[in-house]
Amino acid sequence: MPEITLSVDVDATPQVVWDAMVDWDRQGEWMVLTSVTGGHGSGATIEAYTGKAPLGFLDTMTITDWQPPRRCEVLHTGRVVRGTAAFETEELPGGRTRFLWTEWLVLPFGLLGEVAFALVRPVFVAGIRVSLRRFARWAPTRQPTGRPAS
């Protein structure tokens, strides 16, 4: 089961980072080639479409752990992406926050899936890195939508 953990430091408090992190409807403003909708709290569902139609896939998830403003864990339940992901905030000195994104992926097709993922992994990681850099610029300036996130 491959594990990928990436992070970015954000010039904002954990609450500001949390609110931006779980503003699913606006994730497309910072996440590469992805649009997201979903609810909040344990048991809520999330749907993320990655790609440009017709070349893309739907990633369905269920929130399994909801601890505002610290941690949101999801179970990937779709056909393409399987496994678990966690989005976490870690308070840093000076009113800053580290946003950590971890994926524990369950690969299909045994050895073939592992080989295929070895080829795709650099692109996957690069997309997350670009998204996290965009998030670090976007989150501190994000205007709340009025929809509660916690």
Side-chain angles (χ1 to χ4, degrees):
M1 175 183 305
E3 178 179 326
I4 298 169
T5 300
L6 298 168
S7 67
V8 69
D9 293 352
V10 183
D11 290 326
T13 65
Q15 187 65 56
V16 168
V17 171
W18 171 266
D19 289 344
M21 186 174 74
V22 299
D23 187 350
W24 311 127
D25 295 340
R26 295 183 62 198
Q27 272 196 3
E29 293 178 37
W30 60 271
M31 195 176 293
V32 174
L33 293 173
T34 302
S35 60
V36 183
T37 60
H40 296 102
S42 290
T45 59
I46 303 167
E47 290 188 347
Y49 186 84
T50 299
K52 294 276 187 189
L55 300 175
F57 63 91
L58 182 64
D59 181 12
T60 57
M61 295 162 265
T62 300
I63 297 173
T64 57
D65 188 15
W66 184 260
Q67 300 176 41
R70 309 301 298 164
R71 179 182 175 85
C72 173
E73 188 171 305
V74 300
L75 175 65
H76 293 283
T77 59
R79 290 182 171 172
V80 176
V81 181
R82 305 291 287 186
T84 304
F87 309 102
E88 300 172 282
T89 64
E90 179 181 296
E91 190 169 5
L92 301 173
R96 302 184 80 219
T97 303
R98 180 162 295 137
F99 170 21
L100 294 107
W101 179 343
T102 304
E103 295 276 353
W104 297 273
L105 299 172
V106 175
L107 302 176
F109 309 119
L111 181 59
L112 179 61
E114 290 178 33
V115 170
F117 187 70
L119 297 173
V120 173
R121 183 183 180 119
V123 174
F124 180 74
V125 169
I128 294 173
R129 283 197 174 124
V130 167
S131 295
L132 287 174
R133 285 193 301 269
R134 289 169 65 176
F135 179 85
R137 291 189 303 271
W138 176 78
T141 63
R142 170 187 161 272
Q143 296 299 312
T145 59
R147 183 175 169 190
S150 45

